[in-house]
Amino acid sequence: MVSYEAERTVLREGRVVLWEVLPQDAARIADGGTAGLSWIDGLPGDGTVDAAGIVLKAAIAGTYVPGWGVYCVLRAEDEVAVGGIGFHGPPLDGEVEIGYDLSVSARGAGWATDALRLLSGWALGRPGVGRAVATTEPSNTPSQGVLSRAGYSRVSDRDGLWAYELAAAPE
C-alpha cells in the first residue's frame, strides 16, 4: 500500500513501513538527529546518516526528486526505526541503484530483505524503470544473502564490488 502524508511517500507491506525522508528530515538526520523518529539503537546508523546527507545536498543543488531518495525502515507494529534504505538517485537509463543500512540490533531478523522487496517492487512499478541494482563488498555475505532472498541475481561486478540485479516483470 502506498500513501502520501504531506507529500511524503509511505510504503507499507506486512511488518514493514518505509517512510520517505524529506529534505527537512534529511537535514536533521545529517546533523546527528532522529528526525522525530524513535530509533531501535537510539540514532540512525552511519549509512542512513550518509544517505540523508546526499538527499540534503541534492535538495540544496535543486536536483532532489521526491520519491527517489532515502526511506527510514520502520517496524509496522510500533513505528520504531530499524534502519534506512533508498536510491542512489533517480532512475537513469531505466535503472535505479538501491542501498540499505540496518541498525546493529535489528540485523539478522529479515528487516532488510522485507524493506528491499518493498522498495524494489515500488521502483519497478514506476514508468521507465526496468531494473534495480545493488552492490556489495565481496566479503559482505549477510548483504549478499539479503539480495538473494529479495530475488536479485548476481551480475557483472562494478568497480570491484559484487553487483546484483532485479528486473521488472515483462508486461
Side-chain angles (χ1 to χ4, degrees), residues 10-170:
V10 179
L11 308 172
R12 301 173 191 273
E13 187 170 282
R15 66 188 190 134
V16 173
V17 175
L18 300 182
W19 184 84
E20 183 182 8
V21 175
L22 299 177
Q24 62 268 26
D25 307 314
R28 292 162 57 196
I29 291 172
D31 284 341
T34 64
L37 297 172
S38 175
W39 289 83
I40 193 167
D41 288 336
L43 291 171
D46 292 341
T48 302
V49 172
D50 292 346
I54 292 168
V55 168
L56 183 58
K57 286 178 188 172
I60 291 168
T63 58
Y64 169 73
V65 179
W68 298 105
V70 67
Y71 291 76
C72 291
V73 180
L74 311 178
R75 295 187 308 213
E77 67 185 68
D78 57 9
E79 295 194 344
V80 168
V82 298
I85 188 169
F87 302 101
H88 290 214
L92 182 62
D93 297 328
E95 179 180 288
V96 292
E97 186 172 355
I98 297 177
Y100 45 88
D101 171 54
L102 282 186
S103 297
V104 173
S105 62
R107 294 179 184 164
W111 294 109
T113 300
D114 290 351
L116 182 58
R117 284 180 183 142
L118 180 55
L119 192 62
S120 299
W122 179 84
L124 293 173
R126 310 275 57 88
V129 179
R131 68 187 169 282
V133 299
T135 58
T136 180
E137 294 285 339
S139 62
N140 192 342
T141 54
S143 188
Q144 293 157 19
V146 166
L147 291 161
S148 294
R149 286 188 297 277
Y152 281 67
S153 299
R154 178 107 188 268
V155 294
S156 298
D157 293 355
R158 293 184 178 194
D159 298 322
L161 299 173
W162 285 12
Y164 291 77
E165 178 180 288
L166 181 66

